[in-house]
Amino acid sequence: MKRVRVAVIPGDGIGQEVVPAALKVLRRVAECSQRLEWEFVEFPWGCQYYVDTGMMMPDDGLDQLRYFNAIFLGAVGDPRVPDHLSLWGLLLPIRRGFDQYINLRPVKLLPGVEIPLKGYGPGSIDFLVIRENTEGEYSNIGGRLRAGTPDEVVIQNSVFTRKGTERVIRYAFERARRSRRQVTGATKSNGINYTMPFWDEVFRAVARDYPDVSSHLYHIDALVAYFVTRPESFDVVVASNLFGDILTDLGGAIQGGIGMAASANINPENHFPSMFEPVHGSAPDIAGRGIANPVGQLWTAALMCEHLGFPEEGAWIIKAVERTLEDGVKTPDLGGQARTDDVVERVLTHVERLSHCDAGK
Ligand code: GGG
């Protein structure tokens, strides 16, 4: 039996609903597996903490998180706090401070889910977006001069390092060797004339080390169109920080909605804990109503199990979610009438069946 310590940050809005839902499933998975025991330690950080203290997390927040095996996060954002303050006060310092330079965002069409695209069945869309997660367009280098005047100047620099660019692209090629051996790179080297030609140059150099993997570079404007017109053609897509973020909201939409989308912020060397969070935000419009879709958070929980060395347990969660959706137990964003708790109860039932944990009942 392995003891696994997880720092839990439900955060804001629906994070307060979908995180407890996922913890319930994770606890049952551990009971059924008998191979692991969770120790969940909850941190009350986020926008309410900001309203109360002026900080999204304490000054020593990263030190408090450092020795956990993983971080499990819900959502960040609240209309009372400007978005750039909430993001740069919690999520981004964790991603950067713990060198979580890989952001894995799977896009897969699950059974029982209707999507806006016609003619696609379960599994026919199945690819992985790998987003660079620590540099690129998300830089805090820049400034604002003569604010509020007609002569105002605002500058935000992008930062692409050779190390940062090469390691994410190489990770994508390695990952593609585990799937259909195809990598697509997102670029914009026609309009963005320093960073993106550099990105392409590194992409092509890394591709030469992987003759067994086919590779393509597409301008981001064409790529978003291909996501809609031929999503079945992708295997692994690698993108800079901003492009990856935008692509995966679209990825969420083509797998049924942003509430479905999972993500993992990984430090591959395990020098620091990795962080698991769904792609969606805090959804203040539906927060507190008990109807948030827990699938993104549950799928994220499965990615965490896999990362921590429990792939079988992760597979139970994904399979249980698939069966729940096939049963038609779906929240309103997917066209159903179920509440968050209904989905969780059905997922628990399927986890028990899949793991034969219900044998004694
Ligand atoms: N689930 C985490 C969350 O609330 N994300 C909201 C968000 O806006 N994230 C921006 C980003 O991932 O760059």
Side-chain angles (χ1 to χ4, degrees), residues 238-254:
V238 62
S240 63
N241 210 331
L242 177 64
F243 287 175
D245 190 38
I246 297 168
L247 281 173
T248 47
D249 265 42
L250 181 54
I254 62 178

Side-chain angles (χ1 to χ4, degrees), residues 21-336:
L23 294 185
K24 209 167 170 183
V25 172
L26 283 167
R27 284 196 181 97
R28 188 67 56 86
V29 161
E31 282 161 18
C32 294
S33 148
Q34 309 242 314
R35 294 200 313 133
L36 78 158
E37 190 182 11
W38 300 110
E39 182 187 341
F40 295 125
V41 179
E42 196 165 316
F43 293 85
W45 303 340
C47 290
Q48 186 57 51
Y49 191 86
Y50 182 92
V51 170
D52 296 339
T53 67
M55 293 179 291
M56 290 293 291
M57 65 174 163
D59 286 337
D60 67 347
L62 292 192
D63 289 330
Q64 293 192 44
L65 299 175
R66 191 173 301 273
Y67 296 107
F68 283 90
N69 299 104
I71 303 163
F72 193 57
L73 185 138
V76 179
D78 183 307
R80 295 172 298 170
V81 181
D83 283 340
H84 64 286
L85 295 184
S86 56
L87 213 59
W88 278 96
L90 184 61
L91 256 184
L92 299 187
I94 297 175
R95 289 182 188 160
R96 287 164 176 245
F98 290 156
D99 206 17
Q100 295 164 347
Y101 60 90
I102 299 296
N103 188 196
L104 299 177
R105 296 186 161 192
V107 178
K108 186 173 177 187
L109 179 51
L110 301 185
V113 179
E114 281 180 30
I115 62 166
L117 308 181
K118 285 197 204 106
Y120 290 96
S124 60
I125 300 172
D126 185 2
F127 62 91
L128 178 67
V129 179
I130 299 180
R131 169 190 181 189
E132 200 294 318
N133 214 28
T134 52
E135 54 176 51
E137 305 87 345
Y138 277 43
S139 89
N140 54 354
I141 299 175
R144 205 164 160 172
L145 283 176
R146 300 188 282 274
T149 73
D151 295 323
E152 183 160 5
V153 180
V154 185
I155 295 173
Q156 177 118 26
N157 291 313
S158 292
V159 177
F160 285 74
T161 65
R162 182 167 288 278
K163 177 179 159 188
T165 305
E166 184 174 338
R167 65 186 181 177
V168 69
I169 293 174
R170 195 167 288 285
Y171 189 97
F173 277 85
E174 286 292 333
R175 191 70 195 220
R177 281 187 165 159
R178 288 162 49 185
S179 50
R180 302 199 304 277
R181 293 178 183 256
Q182 189 220 102
V183 178
T184 303
T187 184
K188 190 62 190 170
S189 48
N190 53 357
I192 300 177
N193 65 342
Y194 292 114
T195 56
M196 284 292 131
F198 169 73
W199 172 274
D200 295 0
E201 190 183 303
V202 175
F203 183 93
R204 291 194 179 103
V206 172
R208 282 196 285 278
D209 293 339
Y210 295 84
D212 53 320
V213 177
S214 67
S215 59
H216 313 266
L217 273 165
Y218 292 124
H219 290 308
I220 187 71
D221 40 341
L223 186 54
V224 289
Y226 295 150
F227 263 37
V228 174
T229 55
R230 53 174 174 89
E232 73 282 4
S233 68
F234 296 104
D235 176 20
V236 173
V237 179
V238 62
S240 63
N241 210 331
L242 177 64
F243 287 175
D245 190 38
I246 297 168
L247 281 173
T248 47
D249 265 42
L250 181 54
I254 62 178
Q255 63 186 330
I258 192 75
M260 302 293 292
S263 98
N265 305 277
I266 304 288
N267 171 247
E269 293 77 21
N270 282 321
H271 294 154
F272 302 102
S274 293
M275 175 166 69
F276 300 83
E277 50 157 334
V279 173
H280 66 70
S282 56
D285 53 330
I286 57 158
R289 291 170 52 195
I291 55 165
N293 184 351
V295 170
Q297 193 80 47
L298 288 167
W299 193 342
T300 297
L303 295 179
M304 181 169 78
C305 289
E306 202 178 301
H307 176 79
L308 292 168
F310 299 98
E312 196 184 341
E313 287 76 358
W316 289 343
I317 298 177
I318 291 181
K319 195 79 209 155
V321 166
E322 287 180 346
R323 291 194 177 170
T324 299
L325 296 168
E326 274 175 314
D327 292 345
V329 182
K330 296 186 278 193
T331 44
D333 56 306
L334 299 179

